[in-house]
Amino acid sequence: MRQEAFSIELGEGLTLRGNVHTDEAAGADQPLLLFCHGFKGFKDWGSFPYVADELAKRGVTTIRFNFSCNGVGESLTEFDELEKFGRNTYARELADLQALVEWIDSGEFAWPNYVDKSRLYVLGHSKGGGDAILFGAGNPRVAGIVTWNGIADVNLFDAGLRKQIAETGVGYIANARTGQDMPITRTVIEDVDQNREAYDILAKVSSMETPLCILSGEKDFVRLVEGAKRIHQAAKHSELHWIEGGDHTWNTRHPFAGTSPQLEAVIEQTAAFVRTPRT
């Protein structure tokens, strides 16, 4: 097992930090998987390092990374860059994914010869599932997409928050785990509203030829359970797997205290989908 940390300087004070997990013992021709965290998520949250290790053991070289404006800086585990969180848009996250792919292809990283960079997959949890679809749909560089309890609608902001932002320029969402008030600025709302067509997840899946694997916990939030059904119904090429008893984080918590049957099930299903040969 091999794990290497990396960072990509994007300019304008932004840094994309990540970790590559790979295992030579898992065999040759390994696909490469990008793991996108969700809203108020980060690459070192709870089970995510464990997940990346377990996927690598199954022959899926995995990159877990922090979006450059996710609010977590050099600490890696604390929201110590709330100003950046407050202006984190889908446009920024999609640009981060593009920068990550360009870095993969640049030769700056010494990729082992058993990794097949041409077999690139994108996995996203929750909001990250939306990013995975928006980035991967119709993208010739992406061989397949996986969503874990992914969103079906990019608008995560209710009327009350929108009113607060319209009146003051910034609104706040509570982080129950840390006790912090997480800022959301007008820039974020404008990005969603001005790009409704470009960010229409159901429209994306209905027209894309890219294979899609949808993993949804039966006990996840109702809007996400219903959203998984809508995505599956709209998609041209999708498979939907219900995880019995699974909640939003597959019955695991932060800090990580051990795996669960639900997490093991999604790891196995993800590896099976990504490892399937495609023409």
Side-chain angles (χ1 to χ4, degrees):
M1 176 67 65
R2 171 182 169 189
Q3 180 186 157
E4 291 191 44
F6 67 88
S7 63
I8 305 169
E9 297 302 324
L10 304 175
E12 300 179 356
L14 301 181
T15 303
L16 195 156
R17 300 178 177 89
N19 302 79
V20 178
H21 296 246
T22 187
D23 189 350
E24 184 176 10
D29 301 319
Q30 294 186 19
L32 183 58
L33 177 70
L34 310 183
F35 186 168
C36 309
H37 64 74
F39 190 60
K40 292 187 288 186
F42 48 95
K43 69 180 181 66
D44 291 281
W45 184 93
S47 67
F48 293 169
Y50 170 83
V51 166
D53 273 347
E54 291 300 305
L55 288 170
K57 290 177 184 177
R58 290 162 174 78
V60 179
T61 293
T62 301
I63 298 177
R64 59 184 171 93
F65 66 96
N66 281 339
F67 286 112
S68 63
C69 284
N70 75 333
V72 175
E74 293 183 2
S75 72
L76 302 182
T77 57
E78 303 298 328
F79 286 102
D80 50 8
E81 295 184 343
L82 287 179
E83 183 273 332
K84 290 180 181 176
F85 180 92
R87 56 185 171 91
N88 187 31
T89 61
Y90 288 98
R92 177 66 260 165
E93 292 182 336
L94 296 176
D96 286 349
L97 279 165
Q98 181 59 34
L100 183 55
V101 171
E102 290 174 1
W103 174 79
I104 290 168
D105 292 339
S106 70
E108 293 179 33
F109 186 81
W111 293 97
N113 58 14
Y114 54 83
V115 177
D116 184 356
K117 295 188 298 179
S118 70
R119 296 172 63 198
L120 182 69
Y121 287 76
V122 186
L123 160 67
H125 172 249
S126 194
K127 181 191 177 190
D131 287 305
I133 289 172
L134 295 178
F135 182 75
N139 187 333
R141 191 66 181 80
V142 175
I145 301 166
V146 185
T147 65
W148 284 10
N149 289 325
I151 61 171
D153 187 336
V154 298
N155 182 25
L156 307 179
F157 313 110
D158 63 25
L161 181 69
R162 283 173 167 271
K163 183 173 184 292
Q164 187 180 15
I165 293 170
E167 292 174 349
T168 67
V170 62
Y172 294 91
I173 295 176
N175 186 326
R177 182 180 64 83
T178 68
Q180 292 169 291
D181 289 328
M182 313 287 282
I184 303 291
T185 66
R186 186 175 285 115
T187 299
V188 176
I189 300 299
E190 290 174 348
D191 178 63
V192 169
D193 292 349
Q194 293 173 8
N195 294 285
R196 287 186 183 276
E197 186 174 340
Y199 296 165
D200 188 331
I201 291 172
L202 297 182
K204 289 286 187 184
V205 300
S206 69
S207 61
M208 75 182 188
E209 300 294 336
T210 315
L212 171 64
C213 178
I214 306 163
L215 293 164
S216 182
E218 288 183 336
K219 295 189 179 300
D220 195 11
F221 303 112
V222 172
R223 66 178 176 82
L224 294 178
V225 169
E226 293 303 315
K229 297 175 185 176
R230 290 164 59 207
I231 291 172
H232 182 51
Q233 290 168 355
K236 293 177 70 174
H237 304 287
S238 70
E239 52 187 70
L240 171 59
H241 302 274
W242 294 106
I243 305 303
E244 184 177 357
D247 66 11
H248 190 59
T249 53
W250 311 124
N251 307 71
T252 67
R253 300 293 178 263
H254 181 81
F256 190 52
T259 188
S260 67
Q262 292 79 12
L263 182 64
E264 294 302 316
V266 297
I267 290 172
E268 289 290 349
Q269 195 66 60
T270 299
F273 176 80
V274 174
R275 291 287 296 177
T276 298
R278 307 184 194 281
T279 56

